[in-house]
Amino acid sequence: MKQYLTINEWSIIEDGFHPEYNKISESVCSIGNGRMGQRANFEEKYSGETLPGHYVAGIYYPDKTRVGWWKNGYPEYFAKILNAPSWIGIDVEIDGEVLDLATCQVQDFRRELNMREGYLERTFRAQLPSGKLVEVSSLRFTSIADDELGAIRYAIMPLNFSGSITMAPYLDAGIKNADANYDERFWLPIAREVEAGSGYITAETKKTAFQVCTGMRLQLEKDGTGVETTLELIEREDFISNRITAPVEEGEQLVLYKYAAVVSSENYANNKLIIACNLALDRAVQIGFAEMLNAQAAVWAEKWQDSDIIIKGDAAAQQGIRFNIFQLNQTYTGEDERLNIGPKGFTGEKYGGTTYWDTEAYCLPFYLATADQQVARNLLVYRYKHLPKAIENAQKLGFTGGAALYPMVTINGEECHNEWEITFEEIHRNGAIAFAIYDYIRYTGDAEYLNQYGLEVLVGISRFWAQRVHLSNEKNQYVMLGVTGPNEYENNINNNWYTSTIATWTLEYTLSALQQVKQSAPARYAELRQILNLDEENESSKWQDIINNMYYPVDEKLRIFLQQDGYLDKEQILVKDLDPSQRPINQKWSWDRILRSCFIKQADVLQGIYLFEERYDADTIRRNFDFYEPRTVHESSLSPCVHAILAAKIGDEEKAYDFYLRTARLDLDDYNNDTEDGCHITSMAGTWMSVVKGFGGMRVLKDQLHFHPFIPKQWQSYTFKIKFRGHQIDITVTQATIKIINQADKPLAFFLYGNPQNIAANNILNISRQIPA
């Protein structure tokens, strides 16, 4: 762990310059607005360790898959998330000497991500090799009020000299990805223009031909007034700049305002991009920096009003949860159903594609409870619109008859993951997509979604499961061979309990959904039968037979569900007995050694118990938790949250808190030594679930909310906010009491500790908390 960041409830603060951790700080202090995002790179030149990163939603490059191209059905490409043309750069020279913190003596350095208002601020003093001392402050943001805009205020003041300062704000389309082969570049410059105080560059991606136009407008002031300057316009094929030099006296502050616009062919015709870019810049200049910043703060105030979690008595826990919520809100706004939630969001380029099963399994509950219903619905519509591609993906693997296999990784519906054991075998992802439909309808009551979109997806997935299993002559039961479960430290295994469980659950839910649509919307049902070419009698009969006769591995002696056939044949070693120097094992062990071990990357059996907990009594949950958790190394960011929720369920409050803190501070404290590549955005929704579903015990059963809250002993109180079927509800838990506020203009019925409760419209319920003996 690296604990160099200052604990602050509303900000992520790096006090003092830590060049060895710079790439970590660049990740955690990233800013975005759902349409684009920028790592916390310095505006001025920096020759030290850095990972430059600016990302535009929906833009990718189909890199040739480097392994396995000889295997039938293998993805043809890896969807590389591209580092997009840079808008933040401002080269600085002092009397011809380059400002570069890697070559300066740095004093009073402070980098702060203000999460309350959504901006990044940096201040420092730098003594150059010549001995000249300058004071610099920068403040920037990507506007969440106008998602085509970004803005920077960059100020510099000489402290021990008078002279000339040159600022050269630029746009650079000559960028590359850190993992590019042979320094390959993925952008081709198409058009550019540079004038005094403005300019733009349009660049096009190779192969995919996405176009992005990036523009800038500039304003320079000295002590709040205009300034006389000399100007040099710089123009290269993929680069434009205004090189502005001004005389400055000791103690005078020179301030540059840089407004940027980023527009793409995802939203405009190619021949309209330059016009759209300039119109966006006109808006920015007309509004001005101060008002743009005020608008930014206002939108973030609304988001915090709906999604904030307030923890009193534990600043580290408070900072952690707000950091997670902030990143989720700036990664996905739900305004565009073509977009989704990438595992790194806008914080790094690692991993391909922008959609994993993480969205359905972890992110959906957050957006269901904290945003307008349409936001969560758009996540499901995204998958519905990819259904034809899911059917194509299944056909490539030999499946027929409208069977659908959703990709493990995608950006456009096609599979683009480049590891065969994941692409071919980690098929449990199909079940997560089916469960998300159920979860959405259960929470919102929007049964019309099933008629309009959901049933088609469920039938496609169920057809896949029906073909993926086969009847074992030896067992006289259906089995599922050659799979990888959520625990990716096991590959090509037989009868993974979780995969088999979610497969048969999907079949059950699809049969129920067929009847529901048939009864509630007979005309639509008749239409869907034609669209799906549904053989209701035969297909339903087959699915029911699989449900009734599926094989699930269990151990009768231990009375647990077995992760897969043969799991107990492995040498059973507990994580606590591992030499700490061997952790994390995915960075210290060979893959062969990992595969032969009993160690579990993330919740596998416990993932199934978490999803379907109403099927199991407390003793069953506890036995499986007590067996699998000590064997789990939690080397996936998705692991701690599931364990936190289940630990809370079985009353292990201390473990629930420990797992919460780990998931909340996973990136801030760099638990897994990988934050420099980007933050773990999708797992951040799991942090929210740890509080709301774990500590708050929130569930939806038979259309009603249930709460079973406890409070960690380290906290004085916590408050979370949820939306539910037209209600806005605030729940505050202290060591002695529970306060629930119904902010809606209608009464709220719910269950607290299993007992029915009612709160009148716009009213409050105060009640004593049940404290375990």
Side-chain angles (χ1 to χ4, degrees):
M1 288 199 307
K2 302 173 184 69
Q3 296 178 314
Y4 69 99
L5 298 171
T6 302
I7 301 296
N8 182 284
E9 294 185 351
W10 275 109
S11 291
I12 309 302
I13 300 171
E14 179 186 4
D15 264 325
F17 187 38
H18 300 82
E20 71 277 23
Y21 298 146
N22 184 51
K23 290 196 286 187
I24 297 174
S25 296
E26 289 176 340
S27 293
V28 299
C29 293
S30 296
I31 51 176
N33 61 14
R35 186 71 62 186
M36 61 178 172
Q38 172 67 51
R39 285 173 60 85
N41 311 121
F42 300 159
E43 289 87 3
E44 71 278 354
K45 174 183 173 62
Y46 183 62
S47 59
E49 284 292 313
T50 181
L51 177 62
H54 172 230
Y55 312 101
V56 178
I59 306 300
Y60 70 98
Y61 174 81
D63 206 7
K64 179 67 177 177
T65 297
R66 284 181 257 171
V67 297
W69 54 266
W70 59 88
K71 298 181 179 72
N72 288 331
Y74 204 78
E76 297 177 4
Y77 65 89
F78 174 75
K80 187 183 292 293
I81 301 303
L82 292 186
N83 187 8
S86 174
W87 63 273
I88 66 167
I90 305 171
D91 286 340
V92 179
E93 295 178 15
I94 291 91
D95 287 332
E97 195 172 8
V98 174
L99 176 61
D100 178 354
L101 295 195
T103 63
C104 295
Q105 292 183 25
V106 182
Q107 307 167 14
D108 302 326
F109 180 94
R110 180 183 173 92
R111 174 164 33 189
E112 176 180 356
L113 174 67
N114 183 310
M115 298 182 291
R116 187 196 295 269
E117 297 183 1
Y119 63 80
L120 173 65
E121 187 171 24
R122 185 166 56 100
T123 57
F124 61 87
R125 294 184 175 191
Q127 184 175 331
L128 283 77
S130 64
K132 292 175 179 175
L133 185 66
V134 293
E135 182 177 86
V136 176
S137 64
S138 69
L139 189 154
R140 78 170 183 249
F141 57 94
T142 52
S143 174
I144 205 162
D146 186 334
D147 63 14
E148 295 178 342
L149 297 177
I152 304 171
R153 180 189 185 274
Y154 193 94
I156 185 167
M157 177 191 297
L159 297 179
N160 63 353
F161 70 96
S162 299
S164 68
I165 292 179
T166 299
M167 290 187 179
Y170 63 82
L171 302 176
D172 183 10
I175 38 73
K176 63 183 181 180
N177 274 49
D179 63 350
N181 297 320
Y182 311 107
D183 290 330
E184 180 182 9
R185 297 182 188 272
F186 304 110
W187 294 90
L188 298 170
I190 298 296
R192 67 187 179 278
E193 182 175 277
V194 60
E195 298 176 339
S198 67
Y200 67 81
I201 285 184
T202 301
E204 181 176 274
T205 59
K206 296 178 181 179
K207 295 186 180 180
T208 43
F210 293 112
Q211 289 193 8
V212 171
C213 184
T214 307
M216 66 178 180
R217 298 275 178 87
L218 310 170
Q219 295 173 347
L220 190 67
E221 297 178 355
K222 185 166 64 175
D223 286 345
T225 63
V227 56
E228 291 187 10
T229 66
T230 59
L231 172 66
E232 178 186 1
L233 301 180
I234 299 174
E235 182 176 3
R236 300 194 293 268
E237 183 182 26
D238 54 12
F239 180 95
I240 62 167
S241 176
N242 275 212
R243 181 179 168 84
I244 311 166
T245 302
V248 184
E249 298 294 320
E250 180 179 330
E252 285 186 329
Q253 187 179 62
L254 190 65
V255 180
L256 174 70
Y257 293 96
K258 183 179 183 181
Y259 302 98
V262 180
V263 295
S264 83
S265 55
E266 287 287 86
N267 302 300
Y268 297 97
N270 288 351
N271 63 356
K272 301 294 185 184
L273 281 175
I274 295 172
I275 295 172
C277 185
N278 280 313
L279 287 174
L281 289 168
D282 288 344
R283 294 197 303 271
V285 173
Q286 182 177 6
I287 296 169
F289 188 87
E291 283 306 310
M292 284 182 67
L293 189 58
N294 288 339
Q296 179 85 345
V299 175
W300 273 107
E302 293 176 7
K303 288 187 176 295
W304 287 117
Q305 181 63 36
D306 289 341
S307 61
D308 192 19
I309 290 178
I310 302 166
I311 298 170
K312 293 186 177 179
D314 189 338
Q318 177 68 87
Q319 182 185 46
I321 190 63
R322 282 199 173 122
F323 173 68
N324 284 257
I325 293 170
F326 176 81
Q327 291 290 354
L328 287 164
N329 277 325
Q330 72 170 1
T331 299
Y332 181 75
T333 62
E335 295 175 6
D336 189 337
E337 65 187 28
R338 298 170 300 169
L339 303 180
N340 209 279
I341 307 154
K344 295 295 180 187
F346 296 115
T347 71
E349 65 196 47
K350 188 177 180 181
Y351 301 128
T354 56
T355 311
Y356 288 55
W357 70 289
D358 310 16
T359 292
E360 286 77 20
Y362 297 89
C363 298
L364 181 67
F366 170 79
Y367 295 103
L368 276 173
T370 64
D372 292 340
Q373 182 174 314
Q374 189 63 42
V375 171
R377 202 176 202 263
N378 278 348
L379 288 173
L380 272 64
V381 171
Y382 174 92
R383 291 292 197 179
Y384 170 78
K385 292 193 172 181
H386 284 179
L387 179 58
K389 290 291 187 183
I391 293 172
E392 284 183 25
N393 292 334
Q395 289 171 344
K396 290 175 183 178
L397 301 186
F399 295 88
T400 61
L405 175 60
Y406 278 89
M408 186 66 185
V409 180
T410 192
I411 200 164
N412 63 0
E414 293 180 304
E415 178 64 76
C416 63
H417 197 283
N418 65 353
E419 296 174 12
W420 69 268
E421 65 273 18
I422 306 300
T423 301
F424 294 157
E425 296 193 341
E426 199 165 342
I427 54 178
H428 66 81
R429 66 214 189 221
N430 246 13
I433 291 161
F435 188 84
I437 296 170
Y438 165 78
D439 203 20
Y440 168 80
I441 295 171
R442 173 177 62 175
Y443 196 90
T444 64
D446 180 14
E448 180 58 29
Y449 182 82
L450 198 60
N451 306 340
Q452 191 174 1
Y453 300 118
L455 189 61
E456 291 179 67
V457 174
L458 291 172
V459 168
I461 293 173
S462 292
R463 285 171 168 169
F464 171 82
W465 289 130
Q467 294 177 47
R468 189 56 173 78
V469 303
H470 72 273
L471 190 64
S472 164
N473 291 332
E474 181 178 340
K475 290 183 170 63
N476 197 30
Q477 289 179 290
Y478 288 95
V479 295
M480 195 183 308
L481 309 182
V483 301
T484 295
N487 172 24
E488 293 171 340
Y489 289 174
E490 302 273 7
N491 300 148
N492 201 36
I493 58 175
N494 294 334
N495 299 308
N496 172 256
W497 181 86
Y498 171 73
T499 305
S500 297
T501 296
I502 203 163
T504 54
W505 175 88
T506 302
L507 296 175
E508 291 178 28
Y509 181 52
T510 304
L511 289 174
S512 172
L514 284 167
Q515 293 306 308
Q516 183 175 332
V517 175
K518 189 175 185 178
Q519 294 171 12
S520 65
R524 175 60 174 160
Y525 182 78
E527 181 184 10
L528 287 171
R529 283 193 63 181
Q530 294 296 317
I531 292 171
L532 296 167
N533 193 23
L534 182 65
D535 184 347
E536 182 180 2
E537 183 176 348
N538 289 329
E539 290 192 86
S540 296
S541 176
K542 174 68 172 179
W543 297 347
Q544 190 63 56
D545 190 50
I546 295 169
I547 294 165
N548 294 341
N549 296 287
M550 191 69 185
Y551 165 73
Y552 306 95
V554 297
D555 185 85
E556 299 294 348
K557 182 177 179 181
L558 295 174
R559 299 171 65 201
I560 60 170
F561 307 125
L562 280 183
Q563 184 175 271
Q564 75 260 359
D565 286 349
Y567 179 77
L568 291 179
D569 291 335
K570 293 172 176 281
E571 184 179 10
Q572 296 296 314
I573 304 172
L574 303 185
V575 174
K576 68 180 179 62
D577 296 323
L578 276 174
D579 182 343
S581 69
Q582 297 299 297
R583 302 286 305 280
I585 63 173
N586 64 11
Q587 297 175 21
K588 301 297 178 66
W589 287 10
S590 70
W591 194 242
D592 167 74
R593 187 179 180 187
I594 290 173
L595 290 175
R596 288 186 287 107
S597 79
C598 72
F599 295 120
I600 300 169
K601 180 183 180 185
Q602 68 190 79
D604 195 304
V605 167
L606 298 183
Q607 180 76 27
I609 290 176
Y610 154 68
L611 289 180
F612 306 118
E613 67 170 32
E614 64 270 17
R615 292 183 168 190
Y616 311 112
D617 61 32
D619 288 341
T620 299
I621 296 173
R622 184 175 292 105
R623 281 195 306 272
N624 282 276
F625 184 90
D626 289 346
F627 179 82
Y628 285 110
E629 192 284 319
R631 292 162 172 80
T632 303
V633 290
H634 302 292
E635 289 173 9
S636 164
S637 62
L638 301 174
S639 188
C641 64
V642 171
H643 289 80
I645 294 167
L646 290 180
K649 174 73 175 179
I650 62 176
D652 193 335
E653 298 181 1
E654 186 172 342
K655 269 189 177 172
Y657 175 77
D658 289 344
F659 283 126
Y660 160 76
L661 206 56
R662 176 164 181 164
T663 187
R665 300 195 62 84
L666 181 77
D667 289 312
L668 294 178
D669 295 338
D670 193 25
Y671 268 89
N672 291 338
N673 295 316
D674 59 0
T675 303
E676 66 179 32
D677 297 325
C679 296
H680 300 81
I681 302 300
T682 49
S683 74
M684 293 178 176
T687 305
W688 177 89
M689 290 196 301
S690 297
V691 175
V692 176
K693 292 190 172 188
F695 304 157
M698 188 191 83
R699 304 290 189 273
V700 178
L701 302 171
K702 296 180 179 178
D703 295 319
Q704 287 195 297
L705 281 171
H706 289 244
F707 299 100
H708 199 285
F710 81 90
I711 181 169
K713 63 185 178 182
Q714 295 88 343
W715 298 358
Q716 297 169 8
S717 68
Y718 66 95
T719 300
F720 62 91
K721 307 162 182 286
I722 62 168
K723 297 175 183 287
F724 181 75
R725 301 192 182 188
H727 292 89
Q728 177 72 47
I729 309 162
D730 291 9
I731 299 94
T732 299
V733 183
T734 74
Q735 294 293 341
T737 63
I738 298 168
K739 180 171 74 172
I740 300 179
I741 304 174
N742 174 19
Q743 297 187 35
D745 294 326
K746 58 182 179 179
L748 172 69
F750 64 100
F751 286 80
L752 183 63
Y753 295 118
N755 299 314
Q757 302 284 347
N758 285 278
I759 307 178
N762 299 301
N763 219 316
I764 300 174
L765 173 69
N766 286 288
I767 195 168
S768 296
R769 188 174 71 84
Q770 286 190 10
I771 301 175

